[in-house]
Amino acid sequence: MDVDDLLTEIYDRLPDLVRAAVDGLSPAELLRSPAPGGNPVGWLVWHLTRIQDHHVADLLGAEQVWTTGDWAARFGLDPDPDDTGYGHTPQRVASVRPESSRALVDYYDAVAGRTRTFLAGLRPADLDRVVDEAWDPPVTLGVRLVSVADDGLQHAGQAGYVRGLLRAG
């Protein structure tokens, strides 16, 4: 299996997980926390998408999907390219207000499409390129892509779990 096929396989698992987490949820359900201070489904899916968008745009040296079109407005937010959800307080989590499950899926699909195109052009030697020297050891492209996929898969699983709690109660 080629490296681009392997990474594509990992990233291609996310769209179905995103859809399963949000499908049929009302805007109110997307905002409902499982417990005080807990992250709701809408925030979890928004966050995993923001991380992928932010990091892949950086790898491409391109503008984030978030800052183009009306994406931010569909979530009740400003198009701040640095707002990915990292470090959000419970109050800030509550400020992420997707207009619908469709907004979450549409934004994820736009980001995933760009990621898939990026992955299709990768070669094994590309993965050794250092993309972030702020860490020790420096982060390579391969490590960054695995980290983004790992983050996305974890948050998609959390969103699915929270959805189950919503529908069970």
Side-chain angles (χ1 to χ4, degrees):
M1 178 178 267
D2 292 335
V3 68
D4 59 322
D5 291 338
L6 179 63
L7 288 167
T8 299
E9 174 67 27
I10 293 168
Y11 279 88
D12 277 357
R13 293 170 185 236
L14 280 162
D16 288 341
L17 295 172
V18 164
R19 282 177 178 72
V22 304
D23 186 47
L25 294 182
S26 69
E29 288 173 312
L30 291 171
L31 301 177
R32 192 170 304 136
S33 238
N39 296 324
V41 171
W43 184 89
L44 288 163
V45 172
W46 170 82
H47 171 64
L48 75 86
T49 308
R50 286 294 300 123
I51 293 296
Q52 186 174 334
D53 187 11
H54 179 274
H55 287 10
V56 171
D58 184 58
L59 295 171
L60 289 167
E63 188 174 7
Q64 295 174 32
V65 172
W66 181 249
T67 60
T68 64
D70 67 344
W71 295 112
R74 293 180 73 184
F75 292 84
L77 299 169
D78 294 324
D80 178 355
D82 295 322
D83 186 9
T84 62
Y86 183 76
H88 271 190
T89 64
Q91 293 77 23
R92 188 72 178 116
V93 167
S95 74
V96 177
R97 305 184 67 78
E99 67 186 19
S100 65
S101 59
R102 173 60 31 210
L104 288 158
V105 169
D106 289 349
Y107 177 43
Y108 186 79
D109 284 348
V111 170
R114 180 166 65 175
T115 300
R116 195 170 213 288
T117 299
F118 174 63
L119 295 175
L122 289 180
R123 298 296 161 245
D126 297 334
L127 299 179
D128 293 328
R129 178 172 57 93
V130 172
V131 297
D132 189 346
E133 293 185 4
W135 298 91
D136 185 20
V139 177
T140 63
L141 175 61
V143 168
R144 176 62 44 87
L145 289 170
V146 169
S147 176
V148 171
D150 177 60
D151 184 76
L153 291 166
Q154 285 189 57
H155 288 310
Q158 292 166 348
Y161 180 76
V162 172
R163 176 199 175 86
L165 294 175
L166 292 174
R167 292 297 169 107

